Amino acid sequence: MRLKISLAKEPKHTELVSSVGWTTADELYSCSDDHAILKWSLLTNETTQLAKLPAEVYATDIHWFPKVVGGGKGKQTQSDVFVLTSTDGKFHLISRLGRVEKSVEAHKGAVLSGRWSYDGTAMATAGEDGQVRIWSRSGMLRSTMVQQGTPVYSLAWGPDSDQILYTSGRQLIIKPLQANAKPIQWKGHEGVILKVDWNAVNNLILSGGEDCRYKVWDSYGRLMFTSQVHDYPITSVSWAPDGELFAVGSFNTLRLCDKTGWSYALEKPNTGSVFNIAWSSDGTQIAGACGNGHVIFGHVIERRLEWKNYEATVTDRKSIQVRNVMDDAREKLDFRDRIIKTSLAFGHLVVATTSQCYVYSTKNWNTPMIFDLKEGTVTLIVQTEKHFALVDSSGIQVYSYEGRMQAAPKVPGLRPDVLNVQTLAISNDAVAIRDKKDEKVVHLFDATSGKPLGDGKPFVHKMEVMEVALDQCGPAPERRLALVDKNRDLYLAQVRAVGGARKVIKLGTMVHSMSWNDETNMLAALQDTKLVVYYFPNAVYVDKDILPKTVMEKDATEFGKNPQIVNFLGNHVIIRRADGSLVSTGVSPYPSMLHSYVSNSRWDDAVRLCRFVKDEALWACLAAMAAYAKDLNTAEVAYAAIDEVDKVQYILHIKEIPSKEARNAEMALFCGSPQDAEGILLQSGLVFRAIQMNINLYNWDRALELAVKHKTHVDTVLAFRQKYLEKFSRSEKNKRFLQYAEGVEVDWQKIEAKIEMEQQKEREKAATARR
């Protein structure tokens, strides 16, 4: 990836350019010390002077009022007013036509920065007088948040517009808007900090200073990346809207970097210092305000996508080259409009331009499916095997690869612009969306209808959720959601919970990154200093003790600090190291073969494979898979192979049970689900078995409740309870048992005869069912 730079032959401004701001993706405004506000049209390559500021007004910063949340009706929504801060201590609200709507005395000395909040409800200004002030949309003073002795050179709003990051010499300070909330403060640089930016999507902070370094921080002030020392101070930093890239400006220097900090491209234009960088709303272009009167434009090109043996590269604003690395066959794809977003996965290339979406199959590059986009800017594309999700300013839409819209899941108060691959997941039958307002909430929808899954209520986790992912294979009722929370714990949750709460089970701790496999339900995670691959995560729903045996662990220190899993395709996990290099690591091919056999119920082949490979992890996977599918013969063989004698004995006991329903109930009990087991028994009319099961589990109250409800075996429950208490030399204290003991006679001969009769009845019923 790199920047395609364009500079006018002669500078349009006669003095240094202090600030730039985009209105649409094709129109830019710039302010300079020559007092002129210029309008740049990229469609016509024309520059016109919009307004001339008074001689005493030197602009320091401009910021356009944010787009309406939820999107407008037009193709490209545009802002109608911008704030211009100046050295005379005022800020000016100026319309698109260049008319000054309002000028407000804001600070003593220069106003160094002015920023609208993301929701557009407030504006913050920072001054040479060391104050940070909050203003209403119409320019009325709401509060003076900060008063300090050093100038505040730069500020940025937090993602939820409820806190402000500002500079104080070498310190960075995050101050919440609540009056009594404690600010977070830390030393950021060895020199004065000149510029900061805070991204709403990834919640990361950028800073650049006179120590000639730029740094990336998280919202707690932890350092994620620090650059090498540059030749000159860092004068500007700016996040791309989607939070995947950022740009850094210095003297005769423009750098394009990944969100983790490593550099994609370095340009050395003859511009003087780049004082300000602005990204277009679609994240494809940047503009820089230069010290020699130029405005520099950079277009992000050569974005490269890889999937299996295909490689797609955005070679120009309107063209993509696709290469098949197996036979070096190349295809050039040309588009009518500028390319905004691309995605390559599951045998399809999806390209969103400013007005249309193109869907190519890897089998045929000549005839794409094309459909028009209602909104101009697509911010995210997420693919799965049968369809893909597009996110634009109006929300989320799920389309089939034939271009037919299938669903448009609706989340109240959703901000589509802050969704990314960590907070939106899609599978063939489900869509998961992490809520931004309450980060503990994950909304689950049907991918084909857009209706909420289950009882319509979202899934609520006990901690804030940082990342969600849906498994890609298997039947819809067995869909699983993997999530990583704020504590970096990895959990597995049911997507479709039938009658009751979703089961959520913890898989691991200290997880930095995770990804499901595209062909089988294996899960890869970077856990502390290890790469962990869960061959069969569903084992936690069957037999928790066996889960550690179904896991592959590899030392991950070779991947360096803060590696990220890019994808998990076939038997390869692709990992990006902190320096930007991609590393591929192999996983045994046998678990995916085992998944394939089991999904087709080829149990004999699965056993044969395990006997051939002689790997304990594979046997453990087969044992869990067989127990999950209630295939007792295979489960017996697999558990015997890994020396789980107690479980083999229990499986042999289950096999002797005459009725199928009772066997299923015992298997549910084996998997640690007594409620499910009881439900199966009661549904099939085996009331005595349900009572006996609760007695065996010492669940006395429930056993008595069932006996009373079904008017049978009350004496049996009382007799076993009596025997239990006598064994421990204790007397009955439970009021319900005392109440029923008065009116019911306990006779062991009668009870044993009744039990024998129940068992006989069950045998006869099973024999009739077999016939």
Side-chain angles (χ1 to χ4, degrees):
M1 198 184 302
R2 67 181 180 89
L3 285 170
K4 188 179 180 183
I5 295 293
S6 58
L7 266 177
K9 282 182 182 173
E10 293 298 322
K12 302 287 184 191
H13 286 287
T14 55
E15 295 283 341
L16 73 83
V17 185
S18 57
S19 50
V20 286
W22 297 86
T23 51
T24 67
D26 298 305
E27 189 178 78
L28 179 94
Y29 284 37
S30 64
C31 293
S32 161
D33 280 5
D34 61 7
H35 310 292
I37 300 176
L38 297 187
K39 181 166 98 175
W40 305 69
S41 171
L42 271 66
L43 293 174
T44 59
N45 283 332
E46 286 178 357
T47 310
T48 51
Q49 182 169 316
L50 193 75
K52 192 88 171 164
L53 297 169
E56 70 278 3
V57 176
Y58 290 88
T60 53
D61 193 10
I62 62 170
H63 192 214
W64 283 92
F65 186 77
K67 313 269 187 290
V68 182
V69 178
K73 293 279 185 285
K75 275 272 160 44
Q76 286 194 341
T77 53
Q78 57 188 26
S79 313
D80 288 325
V81 67
F82 64 91
V83 62
L84 181 146
T85 59
S86 60
T87 53
D88 62 352
K90 293 179 182 173
F91 69 79
H92 312 271
L93 299 178
I94 303 174
S95 73
R96 286 187 82 243
L97 303 171
R99 192 174 72 250
V100 178
E101 305 282 349
K102 193 168 190 178
S103 293
V104 179
E105 285 278 356
H107 293 265
K108 292 189 179 81
V111 186
L112 298 175
S113 184
R115 301 273 109 180
W116 294 105
S117 62
Y118 287 105
D119 56 11
T121 55
M123 185 191 66
T125 58
E128 223 171 10
D129 55 2
Q131 292 189 350
V132 173
R133 291 182 149 189
I134 309 294
W135 308 81
S136 73
R137 186 177 166 175
S138 58
M140 304 295 287
L141 180 63
R142 282 192 188 159
S143 65
T144 301
M145 266 187 76
V146 179
Q147 287 180 309
Q148 61 181 37
T150 55
V152 179
Y153 286 107
S154 184
L155 60 77
W157 285 89
D160 297 321
S161 302
D162 59 355
Q163 46 191 358
I164 281 182
L165 163 75
Y166 64 93
T167 68
S168 174
R170 300 175 181 191
Q171 304 279 325
L172 286 168
I173 302 166
I174 296 174
K175 191 167 168 67
L177 295 190
Q178 294 93 344
N180 51 1
K182 198 178 171 202
I184 303 171
Q185 179 170 344
W186 70 96
K187 184 181 177 184
H189 290 258
E190 293 301 320
V192 173
I193 300 166
L194 300 176
K195 264 285 193 290
V196 291
D197 198 8
W198 192 346
N199 187 260
V201 179
N202 61 31
N203 204 13
L204 294 176
I205 289 166
L206 259 180
S207 64
E210 286 188 348
D211 60 354
C212 307
R213 293 180 191 272
Y214 62 87
K215 298 185 181 187
V216 182
W217 314 83
D218 71 4
S219 56
Y220 301 102
R222 287 190 296 238
L223 182 65
M224 311 303 281
F225 177 85
T226 181
S227 73
Q228 297 294 320
V229 177
H230 287 60
D231 296 336
Y232 299 97
I234 303 298
T235 48
S236 53
V237 290
S238 182
W239 280 111
D242 63 4
E244 292 299 314
L245 305 170
F246 64 85
V248 177
S250 181
F251 182 77
N252 284 0
T253 304
L254 195 57
R255 196 181 273 277
L256 181 69
C257 305
D258 183 77
K259 67 176 177 188
T260 48
W262 55 274
S263 191
Y264 275 111
L266 173 65
E267 298 290 337
K268 289 282 190 181
N270 183 24
T271 55
S273 289
V274 180
F275 288 115
N276 188 300
I277 295 173
W279 283 85
S280 62
S281 57
D282 57 18
T284 60
Q285 301 168 103
I286 63 169
C290 307
N292 63 358
H294 274 293
V295 171
I296 188 169
F297 290 95
H299 195 88
V300 179
I301 60 165
E302 291 183 19
R303 286 181 191 250
R304 209 168 92 243
L305 304 169
E306 290 175 4
W307 181 77
K308 296 200 171 172
N309 53 316
Y310 291 98
E311 181 184 81
T313 309
V314 182
T315 52
D316 207 344
R317 292 160 69 103
K318 297 180 182 178
S319 59
I320 291 177
Q321 186 172 51
V322 181
R323 176 171 158 246
N324 184 345
V325 294
M326 304 285 267
D327 55 10
D328 209 35
R330 293 168 191 259
E331 292 281 347
K332 192 178 182 204
L333 314 176
D334 289 312
F335 301 90
R336 191 186 73 186
D337 303 301
R338 199 177 69 251
I339 297 162
I340 291 176
K341 275 272 180 239
T342 48
S343 177
L344 174 62
F346 295 99
H348 291 87
L349 172 68
V350 182
V351 181
T353 68
T354 51
S355 60
Q356 290 176 312
C357 182
Y358 297 75
V359 182
Y360 292 89
S361 165
T362 52
K363 295 179 182 129
N364 178 9
W365 297 106
N366 298 323
T367 50
M369 280 300 311
I370 305 171
F371 58 90
D372 290 338
L373 295 169
K374 296 185 187 75
E375 295 286 336
T377 304
V378 171
T379 54
L380 182 64
I381 303 171
V382 184
Q383 287 178 253
T384 182
E385 186 191 358
K386 292 181 181 168
H387 38 241
F388 62 95
L390 279 186
V391 180
D392 60 23
S393 50
S394 65
I396 303 162
Q397 293 97 33
V398 179
Y399 288 91
S400 69
Y401 286 116
E402 288 77 48
R404 192 176 68 254
M405 185 168 162
Q406 291 183 311
K410 292 279 180 280
V411 178
L414 175 75
R415 277 177 59 193
D417 57 317
V418 298
L419 286 173
N420 61 6
V421 286
Q422 273 84 38
T423 53
L424 171 67
I426 184 169
S427 70
N428 286 338
D429 45 68
V431 179
I433 304 162
R434 201 279 315 267
D435 200 315
K436 181 69 181 157
K437 280 184 178 171
D438 182 356
E439 294 184 347
K440 293 177 183 174
V441 176
V442 178
H443 298 274
L444 296 161
F445 297 94
D446 189 301
T448 50
S449 67
K451 290 176 181 164
L453 286 175
D455 53 7
K457 289 178 186 163
F459 164 69
V460 182
H461 191 52
K462 58 191 176 188
M463 289 284 295
E464 285 86 349
V465 176
M466 307 310 288
E467 191 174 342
V468 293
L470 288 165
D471 62 0
Q472 297 296 317
C473 309
E478 291 179 17
R479 188 66 54 236
R480 298 286 181 259
L481 172 75
L483 59 94
V484 176
D485 67 15
K486 203 174 178 179
N487 282 351
R488 290 286 156 202
D489 294 333
L490 173 64
Y491 288 86
L492 197 65
Q494 292 173 315
V495 169
R496 284 173 165 81
V498 182
R502 292 182 172 91
K503 272 190 186 171
V504 185
I505 301 179
K506 190 171 175 178
L507 277 182
T509 56
M510 296 295 289
V511 173
H512 312 297
S513 178
M514 61 149 177
S515 178
W516 286 100
N517 188 271
D518 66 327
E519 295 168 354
T520 55
N521 285 342
M522 294 192 286
L523 180 66
L526 284 166
Q527 194 172 327
D528 207 5
T529 56
K530 299 190 291 282
L531 168 66
V532 179
V533 177
Y534 296 90
Y535 289 145
F536 185 60
N538 274 346
V540 291
Y541 291 107
V542 181
D543 182 355
K544 266 189 173 177
D545 307 333
I546 212 174
L547 180 71
K549 292 181 179 176
T550 66
V551 168
M552 180 210 85
E553 289 188 359
K554 261 188 182 180
D555 182 36
T557 48
E558 60 178 297
F559 306 129
K561 194 185 166 195
N562 288 340
Q564 295 289 315
I565 296 176
V566 177
N567 54 34
F568 183 11
L569 301 176
N571 305 320
H572 293 277
V573 183
I574 313 293
I575 294 169
R576 194 178 288 283
R577 292 168 52 166
D579 62 1
S581 56
L582 288 172
V583 184
S584 174
T585 185
V587 174
S588 164
Y590 299 119
S592 60
M593 289 166 72
L594 188 66
H595 272 280
S596 162
Y597 286 147
V598 169
S599 62
N600 295 315
S601 299
R602 291 166 59 186
W603 295 104
D604 292 343
D605 290 339
V607 171
R608 214 170 288 128
L609 175 71
C610 290
R611 282 182 177 146
F612 169 72
V613 179
K614 297 186 182 70
D615 178 25
E616 189 186 51
L618 216 57
W619 277 116
C621 283
L622 182 60
M625 288 169 178
Y628 191 76
K630 300 184 175 61
D631 189 288
L632 297 175
N633 295 329
T634 310
E636 182 192 340
V637 172
Y639 274 114
I642 53 173
D643 301 333
E644 297 273 357
V645 181
D646 52 338
K647 285 163 189 168
V648 174
Q649 272 189 318
Y650 190 67
I651 289 167
L652 289 170
H653 152 70
I654 295 171
K655 284 168 81 175
E656 286 167 9
I657 296 170
S659 73
K660 186 187 173 186
E661 292 86 353
R663 285 199 297 274
N664 287 347
E666 289 290 327
M667 278 309 291
L669 207 54
F670 178 87
C671 296
S673 305
Q675 280 108 336
D676 294 355
E678 187 187 286
I680 293 167
L681 292 170
L682 292 175
Q683 209 170 353
S684 52
L686 300 170
V687 177
F688 170 66
R689 257 201 186 276
I691 293 169
Q692 188 67 50
M693 184 192 81
N694 279 300
I695 290 170
N696 293 343
L697 292 171
Y698 304 115
N699 199 348
W700 299 107
D701 286 337
R702 180 63 182 156
L704 183 63
E705 191 184 314
L706 286 172
V708 171
K709 186 180 174 184
H710 294 277
K711 297 187 178 66
T712 177
H713 289 287
V714 176
D715 53 346
T716 310
V717 177
L718 293 171
F720 277 102
R721 170 80 172 178
Q722 215 172 337
K723 199 174 176 182
Y724 166 74
L725 290 169
E726 280 168 11
K727 192 176 178 181
F728 292 99
S729 310
R730 295 178 68 176
S731 58
E732 183 61 78
K733 287 178 183 168
N734 189 315
K735 285 180 185 174
R736 286 197 69 195
F737 278 91
L738 288 168
Q739 180 190 335
Y740 283 104
E742 286 170 15
V744 178
E745 185 196 345
V746 173
D747 183 342
W748 273 103
Q749 274 183 328
K750 278 184 186 175
I751 289 165
E752 279 162 4
K754 265 163 66 176
I755 291 172
E756 181 56 44
M757 200 171 76
E758 288 281 1
Q759 288 169 343
Q760 183 61 34
K761 248 188 339 190
E762 193 182 316
R763 280 194 288 273
E764 285 168 11
K765 193 177 171 185
T768 318
R770 272 201 294 274
R771 276 191 227 120

